[in-house]
Amino acid sequence: MSGRAKLTLFAALATLLTAWSLTPLVDTSAWLLKAAPLLALQSAVGAGARRVPLGRSLTVAAQLLVSLVLLAFFFGGKAESGGTGPMAYLVTDFGALFVQGVQDVGEFAIPAPPTDGIQLLLVSGVLLIGLLVDALAVTLRTAAAAGLPLLALYSVAAGLAGGGEASWFSFLLAGSGYLMMLLAEGRDQLAQWGRVFGAAPRGRASADSGLSSAQGGQAMAPVRAGRRIGAAALGLALAVPMALPALGGGMLGARDGGEDGSGKGGTISAVNPLVSLQSNLNTQDNRVVLKYRTDSPQQSEQYLRFVALDEFNGVKWEASGRALTDVPERLPNPPGLSDQVRVSASEVRTSISAADNYTQRYLPMPYPATAVEIGGKWRFEPAGRTLVGDQMGREKFQNVQGAQYTVRSLLLKPTAQQLQKAPEPNPAIREEYTRVPDNLPPVVAETARQVTQGSKDDYSRAVKLQDYFAVNGGFRYNTRTASGTGPQAVARFLADKEGFCIHFAFSMAAMSRSLGIPARVAVGFTPGEKQSDGSVNVTMRDAHAWPELYFEGVGWTRFEPTPRAGINVPDYSRAQAPAAQPSAPAPLPSQSAAQPSAAPSKSEECPPALKKLGECGAAAAAQGSSGDDGPSVTTVLGWAAAVVAVLGLPLLPLLWRGRLRARRLGTGKVLDAWRELGDAAWDVGVAPDEALSPRRAAARIVDLGALEPEAAQAVHRVAGAVERALYAPPGAQVSYDGLAQDVLLARAALLAAATRPARARALLLPRSAARLSWAASARWSSLAAAVSARATAARIRLPLRNRG
């Protein structure tokens, strides 16, 4: 193996070893198995381009082009861009997946799930660093400088991962790969890198060798300079991660700002738990995040709620900053709950186990909880009745990861009559939970008044709002709608009538507040799916948001405006529905014909952005697949054209040479036949030599091509015809009838004598194709000369026209 080939191998190995530092960012290292062969192919393309040889810029361009094509074929079609055909597969979907990966990085916590978008970012990043390292170390022969992109890759990975014991192992791998690359370059090549930092000592060997011929064989200045640069790069790799802060929350620093900055966990700051939910649900959408057992007789009512968004500030819904207390042994009574409703309720016991990869700081619990048994450091927020993980150290907080805890809660059974006859709410409750921002569009309040027209109490208004969204308002459950939460997003949702649980919950809460009904939004999980052993599994698909409305005597009461399969509508919200309307429970779980807009109208797979929130039910997927009529004619023709193009691309040189050969031999001219014979020899490795006479050139082709006597005689006959054409008097007969057959015979003999790889290259990648680039270069030069001549003539004529 040549020195440059070894350097190519070790440059790729150094990149791969440094890329190992990215593995803590994702919960599996399977993406690295995809990056390794692509990196190897990219390096192989560079080695082949340098061997041809191509220019440095063309070498890098060839590697970049091949890398993009490989990425497009590996990841194309995995994003929902809405396009069809090969171009959408290779370009539009590829770009959409890249954008999706950027969104995933901002929303998931570390370690993030290996979504297709995140894998694309990781693999393409490794290929980019590998391209820079290969270009610097091999193409430009500056191996020491190649440590800079490796340093950048390691520093970013170590900074995001926050250090730890694993970072030392990653640093060891990265440093070892870099040093091996320096050693592979060799002292003789390192001596030629860069400028000489200092003169060589007297009596030592020349700088070209990089070695001393005197005692000790010490390295020359360029060698020492390379070592110093390597040592400096390794030192920076240690220092930079220490200077970078540990980033929490999302992969790019979406922090969960849940404290007041005092370090004591005294308050919970005003953060948007929806973002916390998106960043902390860091497993794939089909993974179980919670398991529980309960003695509740109504498991369908067992919603696991972890936070309430009670402040609508004109920009978004969020949890207001409130004081935290120690978790009492017995939680205080829920606000607004009367003895009459409390007597009819029953206390249930639920034992919950959280998955090891679920890192939510808010504790999921049934509402309203009365007692919680859990280990660790937790704080209680009384107004929202939530438990929040306390601060355990710098940048470290208690979370629910792997926790096992028991919750006692009340199973409330309010009746529609109790809600309808509820007295006026507490003035403090009404004042706080009916606030709406000044920039709330008027259409929100106007729509609320129109929908609830004729209702005489808050309960009837609430039911009408729920039915407006879920039954008779013409709304569609559309998982492709962006999840805006501000006032304009509410107005846009009311106009477009498309959205998912976030839009329905936020809009109903905002409209309820505009009517004077205290409202907030709860975030948590729907009850989950019961297993054969009696336990219940809660997956990411069960993540949900719903409005809670306050009724004096009952307290905070759940409503369900979201028309989504599997959602349980409370019994107390059904009885008061007008007789002319279909009952609420039928359309919600079944998305039947009575509710034409409750589900997507066509086959739509759930995008990853909504899989994180669990907005993709199995029924919706089944409905989407049932209406598929197969690919269109345009798609089929597009795919067929793409397959033909992909399969025909490697055959283009073969087709071009065959057409050129037929044209040359079809003219019957001796010089054209001789040029074809020379190109046939060139294709199998016998390079042309224009300085030789036709007879000497023929002898060279016969000798280097190892031709048999019959083929050798054919070559000499063609050469003799060339000599006659060049030197015979005008009018002499120079050609003969078997000229084309002799050329074809000689070409067949040249191919038969060549090895199998040489024969394959002669057919698929003929060396004589270089004439195309020569011809293009000549045409470009002539065009440039013509343009230059015209410009010069114009400059000469211009002063003559302006004289006088």
Side-chain angles (χ1 to χ4, degrees):
M1 184 183 292
S2 65
R4 178 165 284 192
K6 290 181 180 178
L7 186 56
T8 303
L9 175 62
F10 281 103
L13 183 60
T15 303
L16 202 58
L17 291 177
T18 307
W20 178 263
S21 58
L22 294 171
T23 55
L25 304 182
V26 187
D27 61 8
T28 177
S29 58
W31 65 270
L32 198 57
L33 300 179
K34 296 181 180 179
L38 297 183
L39 182 64
L41 288 175
Q42 176 181 271
S43 301
V45 171
R50 287 185 288 265
R51 189 173 180 83
V52 169
L54 294 179
R56 292 176 175 178
S57 58
L58 290 179
T59 299
V60 176
Q63 291 178 279
L64 180 61
L65 178 61
V66 170
S67 300
L68 290 176
V69 171
L70 290 173
L71 285 174
F73 274 102
F74 267 82
F75 291 96
K78 293 188 177 182
E80 296 182 359
S81 63
T84 59
M87 290 304 295
Y89 180 87
L90 295 178
V91 179
T92 311
D93 285 355
F94 183 62
L97 186 62
F98 198 92
V99 174
Q100 191 177 96
V102 174
Q103 297 174 351
D104 291 344
V105 165
E107 293 175 355
F108 282 120
I110 298 173
T115 65
D116 291 329
I118 290 179
Q119 289 191 63
L120 173 61
L121 293 182
L122 291 173
V123 173
S124 58
V126 171
L127 290 182
L128 177 61
I129 295 298
L131 180 61
L132 293 175
V133 171
D134 186 86
L136 291 172
V138 190
T139 303
L140 301 178
R141 303 308 295 262
T142 56
L148 296 178
L150 295 176
L151 170 63
L153 178 62
Y154 171 77
S155 298
V156 170
L160 292 176
E165 297 180 0
S167 65
W168 288 99
F169 181 69
S170 300
F171 170 75
L172 180 62
L173 289 180
S176 300
Y178 178 53
L179 292 178
M180 286 190 294
M181 182 176 62
L182 290 179
L183 293 176
E185 187 188 33
R187 296 191 177 196
D188 56 332
Q189 297 298 332
L190 187 57
Q192 301 174 14
W193 178 81
R195 58 186 291 270
V196 178
F197 294 89
R202 296 181 180 179
R204 301 291 174 86
S206 66
D208 291 336
S209 65
L211 297 174
S212 171
S213 59
Q215 297 176 357
Q218 297 180 2
M220 297 297 292
V223 180
R224 293 197 302 272
R227 291 176 177 174
R228 291 167 184 168
I229 292 176
L234 294 178
L236 286 174
L238 282 174
V240 171
M242 296 179 182
L244 291 175
L247 304 179
M251 290 181 67
L252 290 184
R255 293 175 178 266
D256 184 9
E259 299 302 324
D260 61 353
S262 65
K264 299 179 181 179
T267 63
I268 176 170
S269 25
V271 299
N272 188 346
L274 180 61
V275 176
S276 176
L277 172 65
Q278 292 176 333
S279 64
N280 284 311
L281 290 178
N282 54 5
T283 60
Q284 292 183 351
D285 58 294
N286 59 343
R287 294 189 181 182
V288 175
V289 293
L290 297 170
K291 290 186 176 183
Y292 69 88
R293 291 179 180 271
T294 182
D295 57 6
S296 172
Q298 293 180 309
Q299 187 262 328
S300 60
E301 297 289 338
Q302 195 79 355
Y303 278 57
L304 299 179
R305 169 187 176 280
F306 54 75
V307 74
L309 311 181
D310 53 8
E311 182 174 331
F312 191 23
N313 59 14
V315 178
K316 57 188 177 181
W317 285 86
E318 61 184 10
S320 57
R322 298 180 184 276
L324 300 177
T325 65
D326 293 334
V327 181
E329 182 177 353
R330 186 78 179 179
L331 302 185
N333 291 329
L337 183 62
S338 65
D339 293 338
Q340 182 181 2
V341 178
R342 177 69 176 82
V343 169
S344 63
S346 57
E347 188 173 74
V348 298
R349 184 176 184 273
T350 306
S351 299
I352 307 173
S353 298
D356 291 335
N357 50 22
Y358 178 49
T359 57
Q360 175 65 254
R361 277 190 60 203
Y362 298 90
L363 190 68
M365 301 184 299
Y367 182 87
T370 57
V372 183
E373 300 174 10
I374 187 173
K377 298 181 64 176
W378 295 89
R379 306 279 283 172
F380 178 62
E381 193 275 289
R385 300 185 69 83
T386 59
L387 262 64
V388 186
D390 200 1
Q391 188 167 9
M392 302 176 65
R394 183 179 181 183
E395 304 293 341
K396 186 177 182 181
F397 297 89
Q398 178 71 56
N399 60 56
V400 75
Q401 182 178 18
Q404 295 185 0
Y405 55 103
T406 300
V407 180
R408 293 186 178 275
S409 59
L410 294 177
L411 179 60
L412 300 178
K413 302 175 183 178
T415 64
Q417 290 75 18
Q418 290 173 330
L419 292 170
Q420 190 172 21
K421 297 179 180 179
E424 289 292 322
N426 184 294
I429 295 289
R430 179 186 290 276
E431 180 184 1
E432 180 177 2
Y433 293 100
T434 58
R435 294 173 185 167
V436 293
D438 296 334
N439 59 347
L440 185 68
V443 66
V444 178
E446 293 173 3
T447 304
R449 287 194 297 269
Q450 292 175 4
V451 170
T452 60
Q453 187 176 7
S455 300
K456 298 181 180 181
D457 56 81
D458 287 347
Y459 167 74
S460 299
R461 297 186 184 98
V463 172
K464 282 189 175 182
L465 286 177
Q466 175 181 267
D467 290 346
Y468 171 68
F469 288 112
V471 179
N472 51 34
F475 286 85
R476 293 198 310 161
Y477 185 80
N478 187 349
T479 59
R480 297 181 184 273
T481 308
S483 57
T485 61
Q488 296 302 326
V490 174
R492 185 169 57 251
F493 170 64
L494 293 177
D496 298 341
K497 296 192 174 184
E498 290 185 345
F500 55 104
C501 72
I502 294 174
H503 304 90
F504 288 97
F506 289 161
S507 298
M508 181 172 174
M511 294 172 73
S512 298
R513 286 192 174 194
S514 71
L515 296 174
I517 306 175
R520 64 188 184 187
V521 176
V523 180
F525 297 95
T526 53
E529 183 176 355
K530 193 168 186 178
Q531 307 299 302
S532 58
D533 61 353
S535 64
V536 182
N537 287 351
V538 177
T539 68
M540 293 215 18
R541 291 177 179 167
D542 298 311
H544 189 47
W546 61 92
E548 289 183 341
L549 276 56
Y550 182 85
F551 293 91
E552 193 67 37
V554 179
W556 291 104
T557 308
R558 175 176 65 89
F559 282 81
E560 276 295 359
T562 304
R564 170 183 150 192
I567 286 185
N568 180 55
V569 179
D571 293 336
Y572 47 78
S573 67
R574 302 178 182 180
Q576 297 299 316
Q581 299 177 358
S583 60
L588 286 176
S590 64
Q591 300 180 350
S592 61
Q595 182 192 349
S597 60
S601 61
K602 58 183 179 180
S603 177
E604 295 177 347
E605 294 181 1
C606 184
L610 299 181
K611 288 181 179 178
K612 301 165 198 166
L613 290 179
E615 299 303 326
C616 313
Q623 180 180 4
S625 61
S626 63
D628 191 4
D629 295 330
S632 63
V633 176
T634 305
T635 303
V636 173
L637 292 178
W639 275 109
V643 171
V644 171
V646 171
L647 296 179
L649 188 62
L651 301 179
L652 288 179
L654 176 64
L655 298 176
W656 169 76
R657 280 293 289 124
R659 182 175 178 82
L660 180 62
R661 184 181 311 110
R663 188 169 65 248
R664 285 173 173 175
L665 298 181
T667 62
K669 296 180 180 180
V670 174
L671 294 183
D672 287 344
W674 177 249
R675 189 174 294 111
E676 174 58 33
L677 178 60
D679 284 354
W682 188 9
D683 290 341
V684 297
V686 182
D689 189 346
E690 303 295 341
L692 299 178
S693 66
R695 188 171 300 181
R696 292 284 302 276
R700 181 169 178 269
I701 291 174
V702 171
D703 184 30
L704 297 180
L707 299 184
E708 297 294 333
E710 183 180 0
Q713 292 174 8
V715 172
H716 285 297
R717 283 195 297 269
V718 177
V722 173
E723 288 182 340
R724 291 193 299 272
L726 294 176
Y727 306 114
Q733 181 67 28
V734 296
S735 184
Y736 60 97
D737 294 338
L739 178 63
Q741 288 74 11
D742 283 346
V743 173
L744 295 177
L745 175 62
R747 176 179 177 272
L750 288 169
L751 291 174
T755 61
R756 182 173 298 178
R759 190 185 310 118
R761 174 172 179 175
L763 294 174
L764 300 177
L765 295 173
R767 293 176 173 86
S768 60
R771 295 191 186 278
L772 291 175
S773 62
W774 296 349
S777 178
R779 291 184 181 180
W780 174 259
S781 299
S782 62
L783 178 60
V787 172
S788 178
R790 290 191 177 186
T792 303
R795 286 197 299 270
I796 293 175
R797 290 195 301 269
L798 186 59
L800 296 176
R801 292 178 180 177
N802 293 335
R803 286 182 181 177

